[in-house]
Amino acid sequence: MSRRPSSRYSEMPLRVTDSRMSLVNATPQSKDNVFGKLNIPKPQSSTSERRTSFFGKSAGGQRNSMFGSYGGPEKMKDPRPLHDKAFVQQCIKQLCEFLGDHGFPGTISVKALQSPSTKEFLKIFEFIYSLLDPTFQMPTSKVEEEIPRMLRDLGYLFPLSKSSMYSIGAPHTWPQALGALLWLIDAVKIFNSLRGQDLLFADFSDDFSELEEGVEYNKLFLDYCSKTYNKFMQGADTFEDEDTEYLSHLKRLYNVDEALLESQKEKHRVLIDELERMEKESHTDRLMGQRTEKLKLQTDLQKLQSYRTHMESFKSHLEKKCAGLSEELEATDLQLEGLKQEQARLQHILVNQKFTPADIERINRERNELQQTVSSLSRSLEEAQQLVWNEEIDMLKTIQRAEVRLTEYHKLARMLKLIPQSAENACGHDFEIRTVSDYGPTTATQIRAQIQNPLKNMLLDVEEEFSSLANMKLSLEETVEQVKSNISEKVNDIKQLKEQIRRLDLQLEHDMQIAHEEEKWAADVDAAESHKKLLEKKVMDGYEEAEEQLKATQQQYHLVLQETKEESRMVANNLTHIYSAAANHLVIVEKLCNDQVKKMDKMSEIINEDQTVLQQLKEMIENFVARANNI
């Protein structure tokens, strides 16, 4: 019988998912649960009517033991939805990520794992198995028999058939093989976590080896195993009470002082905090370096964002260009298709026509004459149309120039407040020039007479008013110049008086400030001298006290660090002895079980031989009785 990786000897799945296991054979729970990420439905037990115990009793609510029932282990149905496409894709992705993370020697992709060949499956199986056993080598013969056997030896509950190994990439066989690879990956993760497991106990006594091999330790271990196994056979999956009791017995047996351990931890934490505080005080320039690093990272982020925006715009431009080219290609394809249909139609007409060669020649000659006539007429029509077009263009340009000048005239008239007729400077005259459609057959002379005569009259009035205002302006400017000269003389006199007053104020303020500062300086000098002496005394006292505290703290820290290292070394030695004792005990139990099985096999062989001998004796007696009756 081979030892399984886990501590559960039952073939039945757990009915309660719980991370708390037995303290003796505890398996570390990794962050990625084995089946938690794949959303596996809870398996339903199909053999709950009658289960056989190792001790010979049978009950309706108990589990099957691996050591009982001569009929052999019952085949279990895989509860994972291996025929669900979404689940299979998730498994393939997980397998691909695992192979990539662990350095698979070869190119592997999700597409290649959809239907792999037998050779690729063997490479993947050999790589994953070598993570458990680095010395493993794939057998060269009967691989279809060796792989299912190795999986059974590792404890895989769901059998793989021999025929499925021949067509491993088939849709009906690949999901089962994929499930076996996922289970093997989970075994590798558990194995790696077991190698890095580190359990921590407190102080053990010096005579640990004597206690481990003594009666007390073996008695505690066997009592714990029997209690947990009995509860497990009755359907329990967690053993919290037994774990607590066993842990308390072990602490009592090995003299674990939890109060001392907690006090040492608290002392170590306080010293670490003090050391970090002193380091921070001695390195105050780290914040500036982190800020410059943050600014550099922010500038890099802005550059990356601008580059990303540029690339996105370039991508959108290329997409638009590609869409335009695709549209042009589709239009060209449609045009080509139309030309092909026209060619087919003309070819069909050519094949089915009933004209003679003379008729065809005559028709061609007439067609040429008609084409020449049509071409000459079309040229004449084009020349006439071109001439009309040129005349229309010239007329439109003239109309546009007139409209532009008319718009400028209206704009200038609105600025001068001449239009509309009720404007301020219009004086009741209508200066607005309407379009030809508004006037009808009105000539330019009428428009000029309507606008120029009122404008001339208005210009004369404006010139007369402007001359009178100019004369008034000159008289006012002379008066202003005389007033300004008087004001400037008075301003100069006021400035001279203000300057004399300011000089006298500055002289008085300077004299008073000098006297006040002399008094203040004398008082400040006395206070500074006294404060300086007091500070020098306090600084010297504080410096000496800080140096003494630092020395005492360093000595205490080194002492606690040495004690912690010594305790860690003792704990590691004790754990090594515990694991070796547990492994030896399990080997002895396994050997005893194997011996019992061998003895039972021998007894069954002897019983079979006795039955054959007894059958032969019965036949001989029957023959003898028959002969005696005949005589």
Side-chain angles (χ1 to χ4, degrees):
M1 183 186 306
S2 64
R3 186 184 305 164
R4 295 184 180 275
S6 64
S7 63
R8 299 180 70 250
Y9 288 96
S10 174
E11 295 269 341
M12 296 300 296
L14 278 173
R15 296 179 300 175
V16 178
T17 304
D18 194 353
S19 59
R20 296 171 294 178
M21 302 297 289
S22 175
L23 288 174
V24 178
N25 297 315
T27 301
Q29 303 294 323
S30 62
K31 292 182 180 179
D32 297 329
N33 194 3
V34 176
F35 292 108
K37 296 188 293 183
L38 303 179
N39 299 325
I40 302 300
K42 189 175 181 181
Q44 300 294 331
S45 176
S46 59
T47 58
S48 62
E49 287 83 5
R50 187 175 182 83
R51 299 173 184 172
T52 307
S53 173
F54 171 75
F55 300 101
K57 295 181 181 181
S58 61
Q62 296 178 347
R63 296 175 182 264
N64 276 333
S65 174
M66 291 184 63
F67 306 108
S69 72
Y70 295 98
E74 185 178 354
K75 290 185 178 180
M76 291 184 62
K77 184 179 179 181
D78 197 340
R80 297 173 291 181
L82 293 176
H83 295 286
D84 187 6
K85 292 183 179 180
F87 178 78
V88 172
Q89 294 299 322
Q90 193 175 0
C91 293
I92 290 173
K93 185 178 180 182
Q94 185 179 357
L95 175 61
C96 187
E97 291 177 355
F98 179 84
L99 294 176
D101 294 338
H102 289 77
F104 179 70
T107 57
I108 199 71
S109 63
V110 177
K111 184 177 180 181
L113 291 176
Q114 298 295 329
S115 179
S117 61
T118 305
K119 186 176 180 181
E120 292 175 347
F121 174 79
L122 294 178
K123 286 183 180 179
I124 294 172
F125 182 86
E126 183 180 5
F127 174 76
I128 297 174
Y129 201 95
S130 63
L131 297 176
L132 293 173
D133 185 9
T135 61
F136 171 72
Q137 292 183 355
M138 182 64 71
T140 57
S141 61
K142 295 183 179 181
V143 180
E144 63 276 6
E145 296 179 1
E146 291 296 323
I147 289 178
R149 183 189 61 78
M150 286 189 285
L151 288 173
R152 284 197 303 272
D153 293 340
L154 287 175
Y156 188 62
L157 302 179
F158 315 109
L160 289 176
S161 62
K162 180 180 177 181
S163 61
S164 64
M165 293 291 106
Y166 293 104
S167 58
I168 199 67
H172 62 282
T173 57
W174 171 234
Q176 283 76 17
L178 182 62
L181 291 178
L182 263 294
W183 181 87
L184 197 60
I185 288 174
D186 295 332
V188 171
K189 292 179 181 178
I190 294 173
F191 177 73
N192 292 333
S193 62
L194 280 173
R195 285 193 305 180
Q197 185 182 10
D198 186 15
L199 300 177
L200 181 62
F201 288 94
D203 294 331
F204 290 143
S205 58
D206 295 332
D207 54 347
F208 169 73
S209 58
E210 297 179 1
L211 286 173
E212 186 177 357
E213 300 295 335
V215 179
E216 294 294 331
Y217 174 76
N218 292 332
K219 182 179 178 182
L220 287 174
F221 180 72
L222 291 176
D223 289 342
Y224 175 78
C225 290
S226 62
K227 289 179 181 178
T228 53
Y229 186 76
N230 288 332
K231 290 190 69 175
F232 177 76
M233 294 304 298
Q234 293 174 3
D237 288 319
T238 57
F239 317 102
E240 296 180 355
D241 298 335
E242 287 75 9
D243 292 344
T244 305
E245 184 180 358
Y246 181 68
L247 184 60
S248 64
H249 287 311
L250 284 178
K251 288 181 180 179
R252 192 181 305 112
L253 181 62
Y254 294 112
N255 297 325
V256 177
D257 192 356
E258 294 184 353
L260 178 61
L261 184 61
E262 292 295 330
S263 63
Q264 292 295 333
K265 286 182 179 178
E266 184 66 23
K267 190 184 297 182
H268 182 263
R269 185 184 63 78
V270 172
L271 292 175
I272 289 295
D273 294 340
E274 184 69 20
L275 182 62
E276 290 178 354
R277 186 183 63 80
M278 290 182 176
E279 288 179 353
K280 288 180 180 179
E281 290 178 355
S282 61
H283 299 84
T284 56
D285 57 342
R286 292 183 181 178
L287 182 60
M288 188 60 66
Q290 294 294 328
R291 286 177 178 173
T292 49
E293 187 68 21
K294 180 181 178 183
L295 291 175
K296 290 180 181 178
L297 293 175
Q298 287 178 352
T299 54
D300 294 341
L301 179 62
Q302 292 177 356
K303 291 179 181 178
L304 286 174
Q305 288 177 351
S306 62
Y307 179 72
R308 177 186 176 187
T309 307
H310 175 68
M311 294 305 293
E312 287 178 353
S313 62
F314 183 68
K315 179 182 177 184
S316 62
H317 175 68
L318 290 179
E319 288 177 352
K320 291 179 181 178
K321 190 175 180 181
C322 181
L325 291 175
S326 62
E327 291 176 357
E328 291 180 1
L329 182 61
E330 290 177 358
T332 308
D333 291 338
L334 292 174
Q335 187 178 2
L336 179 62
E337 188 66 25
L339 291 174
K340 287 182 179 179
Q341 292 177 1
E342 184 67 19
Q343 183 183 4
R345 186 181 65 80
L346 294 175
Q347 186 70 26
H348 179 71
I349 294 172
L350 180 62
V351 171
N352 296 329
Q353 66 183 355
K354 296 179 181 180
F355 296 102
T356 61
D359 295 335
I360 293 172
E361 186 177 356
R362 181 177 55 80
I363 291 169
N364 289 331
R365 187 171 58 256
E366 292 177 354
R367 185 186 64 182
N368 293 330
E369 293 176 355
L370 291 173
Q371 284 181 353
Q372 291 177 1
T373 305
V374 169
S375 61
S376 62
L377 292 174
S378 62
R379 282 197 298 272
S380 301
L381 180 62
E382 287 177 357
E383 290 176 358
Q385 288 178 352
Q386 185 66 30
L387 183 60
V388 172
W389 176 255
N390 292 331
E391 292 294 332
E392 288 180 353
I393 288 174
D394 293 337
M395 186 177 68
L396 287 174
K397 288 181 179 178
T398 305
I399 292 171
Q400 287 178 358
R401 287 195 295 270
E403 288 180 352
V404 169
R405 296 187 66 182
L406 184 61
T407 304
E408 292 177 354
Y409 167 75
H410 286 163
K411 184 177 180 181
L412 182 60
R414 286 190 180 90
M415 290 174 61
L416 297 174
K417 298 180 181 181
L418 295 176
I419 56 175
Q421 192 173 358
S422 61
E424 181 180 354
N425 298 328
C427 299
H429 299 289
D430 186 10
F431 293 102
E432 185 175 1
I433 300 176
R434 297 175 180 83
T435 58
V436 177
S437 59
D438 294 334
Y439 274 101
T442 306
T443 59
T445 307
Q446 293 176 354
I447 297 173
R448 192 178 295 112
Q450 177 186 351
I451 295 173
Q452 285 184 353
N453 295 329
L455 283 177
K456 287 179 180 179
N457 296 328
M458 290 177 67
L459 285 173
L460 293 174
D461 296 337
V462 169
E463 286 177 356
E464 291 177 358
E465 187 177 357
F466 179 74
S467 62
S468 63
L469 291 174
N471 295 327
M472 189 183 295
K473 179 183 176 183
L474 290 175
S475 63
L476 289 174
E477 285 179 353
E478 291 176 357
T479 307
V480 168
E481 288 293 333
Q482 187 177 1
V483 172
K484 283 183 178 179
S485 62
N486 295 330
I487 291 172
S488 60
E489 290 177 359
K490 298 296 181 183
V491 167
N492 291 330
D493 294 338
I494 292 170
K495 285 183 179 179
Q496 291 177 1
L497 294 174
K498 285 183 178 180
E499 183 66 23
Q500 292 177 1
I501 293 169
R502 187 181 63 80
R503 289 175 183 175
L504 293 174
D505 290 338
L506 289 175
Q507 184 66 29
L508 178 62
E509 185 178 356
H510 182 65
D511 295 340
M512 293 177 65
Q513 189 175 2
I514 289 173
H516 181 68
E517 286 180 355
E518 287 178 355
E519 295 176 357
K520 186 177 179 181
W521 287 345
D524 289 342
V525 168
D526 296 336
E529 288 292 335
S530 60
H531 188 61
K532 176 184 176 183
K533 293 179 181 179
L534 183 62
L535 285 177
E536 287 179 352
K537 182 178 180 182
K538 288 183 179 180
V539 166
M540 293 301 295
D541 295 340
Y543 178 73
E544 292 175 357
E545 185 178 356
E547 282 187 345
E548 292 176 358
Q549 289 180 358
L550 180 61
K551 290 179 181 179
T553 305
Q554 289 178 350
Q555 292 177 0
Q556 191 175 5
Y557 171 73
H558 289 302
L559 180 61
V560 172
L561 186 61
Q562 291 178 0
E563 292 177 358
T564 307
K565 289 181 179 179
E566 184 66 23
E567 290 174 358
S568 300
R569 185 183 62 78
M570 292 175 64
V571 167
N573 294 331
N574 295 335
L575 288 173
T576 305
H577 291 306
I578 288 175
Y579 289 151
S580 60
N584 294 331
H585 181 73
L586 290 174
V587 170
I588 293 169
V589 171
E590 187 176 3
K591 288 181 179 179
L592 291 175
C593 294
N594 290 330
D595 293 339
Q596 292 295 328
V597 171
K598 289 178 180 179
K599 287 180 182 180
M600 294 299 295
D601 292 338
K602 290 180 180 179
M603 291 295 293
S604 61
E605 292 175 0
I606 293 170
I607 290 171
N608 292 330
E609 291 177 359
D610 291 340
Q611 287 179 356
T612 54
V613 172
L614 182 61
Q615 186 68 27
Q616 292 175 1
L617 288 175
K618 286 181 180 181
E619 291 177 357
M620 291 174 62
I621 292 171
E622 289 177 356
N623 292 330
F624 180 75
V625 170
R627 289 179 184 178
N629 291 330
N630 292 330
I631 295 172

